[in-house]
Amino acid sequence: MEITLTEANFEQEVLKSDKGVLVDFWASWCGPCKMLAPVVAEIAEEHPEIKVGKVNVDDEGELAQKYGIVSIPTVMFFKDGELKKTSVGFVPKEALLDLTK
């Protein structure tokens, strides 16, 4: 299941999560984001050990700015409240899963 992340719930859902969190920064007008969305959804369904969240950069500009998002899609992996790895642009599922290792 994918969680919609906002400024209001980011700390609780991501930084205080007891499991690793894959965060997809995206926008509805972004072509590569649309290509990546089903890949992210698959990971959410197939890997219950990973929490998956999505940040709409148009709705959550402050959050995107806080994490230095300049290109989308950007996928970040957080564990124990820290940013561990980042991927920018469309990548295959295996590359996203590699972020979580």
Side-chain angles (χ1 to χ4, degrees), residues 2 24-28 30-45 52 54 73 75 89-91 93 96:
E2 295 171 313
D24 177 18
F25 289 85
W26 67 284
S28 58
C30 161
C33 298
K34 290 177 186 170
M35 291 167 45
L36 193 64
V39 177
V40 172
E42 271 182 33
I43 291 172
E45 278 188 32
V52 177
K54 296 181 71 86
V75 179
F90 177 81
V91 294
K93 184 160 107 180
L96 288 182

Side-chain angles (χ1 to χ4, degrees), residues 55-67:
V55 176
N56 183 324
V57 297
D58 288 336
D59 297 342
E60 299 295 328
E62 282 183 28
L63 206 50
Q65 193 172 11
K66 181 177 181 179
Y67 287 98

Side-chain angles (χ1 to χ4, degrees), residues 21-23 25 67 74-79 82-88 95-101:
V21 188
L22 206 59
V23 180
F25 289 85
Y67 287 98
T74 293
V75 179
M76 295 181 163
F77 182 68
F78 292 82
K79 190 159 175 80
E82 291 179 25
L83 172 59
K84 298 294 187 185
K85 294 182 185 168
T86 302
S87 169
V88 178
L96 288 182
L97 287 172
D98 281 348
L99 295 177
T100 68
K101 295 178 178 139

